[in-house]
Amino acid sequence: MRQLSMPKSLHEVFGQQQTLAEITIVLLFSLLGTCCICYQYALSATPVSTWKLLLGLLIIADILAGFVANFSRGTNNYYAVRPTSRLVFIAIHLHLPLVAWLLQADIGAATLIWLVTILFALSVNALHRSSLQLFVAGALAGIGVLLVLLLNLPLWFTLVALFFMLKVMFSFAVDHYPLSVREQP
């Protein structure tokens, strides 16, 4: 497929090059997923002020977009050759506690899931270029999914927490296209 050069301001999201199909899929998934979560939120949560709702939904859209974008070759390759940027990206992900605060979810559960996610992501990242990276990431993702489900959170927040965890520690921290199969830009 034809690669599009991405503007520098979008490198952290889409890498230096991306296909139109991947960009479209990322945006559609983010939009549709956010709408589904918003619907579930409206069914079960206490209403919050409009600005908190809109900011919360924007952060949820970012989580969902990143979950898919990080599987793309362009985004994966961008971070695979920038280990410091990958660590910074992991460290700045305070999305889940922020969503919990904005939309009145369980802040304690959000903080626990966030902490486990960051620790798992750092562990997976430490295995960069190891043949065990994908396997360990899969095992840790399974543990993370169990943890989130056992917390018995509202459906909308369970979805956000699962996508957050999988985004940061599986779709982002794993190098899905190792050097042997990576296309050079």
Side-chain angles (χ1 to χ4, degrees):
M1 285 197 113
R2 182 171 162 248
Q3 297 284 317
L4 303 173
S5 291
M6 300 306 299
K8 189 168 179 64
S9 61
L10 294 177
H11 284 183
E12 284 79 23
V13 179
F14 290 115
Q16 294 174 312
Q17 300 207 336
Q18 196 64 260
T19 68
L20 183 58
E22 288 167 321
I23 294 169
T24 302
I25 290 167
V26 167
L27 295 176
L28 284 175
F29 180 78
S30 178
L31 178 64
L32 293 173
T34 302
C35 287
C36 290
I37 290 170
C38 182
Y39 175 75
Q40 287 300 316
Y41 176 79
L43 290 178
S44 66
T46 306
V48 297
S49 62
T50 302
W51 76 268
K52 284 185 171 184
L53 177 63
L54 293 175
L55 185 54
L57 292 174
L58 184 64
I59 295 168
I60 290 168
D62 177 72
I63 291 169
L64 296 174
F67 169 75
V68 176
N70 292 328
F71 284 111
S72 73
R73 192 174 297 275
T75 305
N76 181 87
N77 291 352
Y78 180 80
Y79 285 103
V81 297
R82 292 170 179 81
T84 302
S85 295
R86 189 181 292 270
L87 286 173
V88 168
F89 184 90
I90 291 169
I92 65 169
H93 266 79
L94 296 168
H95 296 52
L96 194 62
L98 188 54
V99 168
W101 176 75
L102 288 167
L103 302 181
Q104 297 183 352
D106 185 335
I107 224 54
T111 303
L112 173 64
I113 296 164
W114 172 82
L115 181 61
V116 167
T117 299
I118 298 305
L119 292 174
F120 284 4
L122 292 172
S123 300
V124 169
N125 188 62
L127 293 171
H128 183 68
R129 302 201 184 190
S130 167
S131 62
L132 288 175
Q133 187 186 48
L134 184 59
F135 177 78
V136 169
L140 293 177
I143 293 168
V145 168
L146 285 172
L147 169 69
V148 171
L149 294 178
L150 289 172
L151 290 173
N152 199 29
L153 301 164
L155 178 58
W156 75 269
F157 196 68
T158 297
L159 292 168
V160 174
L162 287 171
F163 279 111
F164 172 80
M165 178 176 280
L166 293 172
K167 169 192 177 177
V168 177
M169 61 89 46
F170 190 79
S171 74
F172 180 74
V174 172
D175 183 359
H176 298 280
Y177 306 98
L179 286 173
S180 61
V181 294
R182 183 172 296 132
E183 291 176 10
Q184 297 301 318

